[in-house]
Amino acid sequence: MTDVPSSDRDLQLLLQLLEAVLETYGSDTRRWPPAKQQALAALLAHNPAAQRMLQEATALDRLLDQAPVMSAEQQAALASRIVAAAIRQPRVVGGVIGGSGARVPPIRRRDHGFAAAALAASLVLGIIAGQTGTIGTTADTLVASLSSDSGAQIAQTDEADGLLDEDLL
């Protein structure tokens, strides 16, 4: 595929391929498989988004090249620390912990069917209540049934409770 992509879908597929190739092989096109080099050559030559992706990958590669490299002694020390930690950790092999002969109790599988059914039922009831407007109608009825005096009294009571809470703090 050496031509410029003819549709938006083809372009998106090629950009996804380029992203995968950059993540896998880096920005150096010499490391890319020949088939992918050929498939992406026209895209890189003509598409600004692809060129920007390549530039970003090149900048990342340069940054990674500046990272410190571990010496052979540092690698050996790290490997010995990993091996020592692995020896200290108990391992389960064939249901037995380490070399102690202690058996690991089998993992019991819990059946969560009832909990899942209850969750699904509550979801369905919530959707039905929201669609029918039952809750909104009930709230409107309660607000309408309150007289203006009792509404003022409720508001005053709420303020008094707030002041009392502040005094307690």
Side-chain angles (χ1 to χ4, degrees):
M1 195 190 286
T2 58
D3 296 330
V4 178
S6 59
S7 71
D8 287 339
R9 186 175 189 288
D10 291 341
L11 176 63
Q12 291 304 319
L13 289 174
L14 281 174
L15 287 173
Q16 289 174 357
L17 174 65
L18 176 62
E19 182 178 8
V21 167
L22 289 172
E23 288 176 0
T24 304
Y25 301 103
S27 64
D28 186 1
T29 57
R30 294 173 295 181
R31 289 189 237 150
W32 297 2
K36 297 196 192 280
Q37 286 178 5
Q38 292 174 356
L40 296 171
L43 180 70
L44 288 169
H46 301 292
N47 188 291
Q51 293 166 357
R52 186 174 9 93
M53 289 171 65
L54 183 63
Q55 289 171 351
E56 290 172 359
T58 302
L60 177 63
D61 284 350
R62 284 189 196 131
L63 181 66
L64 291 174
D65 288 341
Q66 294 175 1
V69 178
M70 291 180 67
S71 67
E73 295 83 25
Q74 290 172 324
Q75 288 179 1
L78 177 61
S80 64
R81 286 196 313 259
I82 292 171
V83 169
I87 290 171
R88 286 191 307 266
Q89 294 291 325
R91 292 181 297 282
V92 177
V93 178
V96 178
I97 299 176
S100 65
R103 302 279 310 164
V104 176
I107 298 173
R108 285 193 275 163
R109 189 166 178 242
R110 295 183 181 161
D111 188 18
H112 297 291
F114 179 74
L119 180 63
S122 66
L123 177 65
V124 169
L125 287 175
I127 291 172
I128 290 172
Q131 293 295 323
T132 59
T134 305
I135 295 173
T137 306
T138 306
D140 291 340
T141 305
L142 286 173
V143 170
S145 67
L146 294 174
S147 66
S148 62
D149 294 335
S150 62
Q153 184 179 7
I154 290 172
Q156 289 173 355
T157 305
D158 288 343
E159 284 182 20
D161 287 343
L163 292 175
L164 180 63
D165 290 341
E166 289 176 6
D167 290 340
L168 290 175
L169 292 175

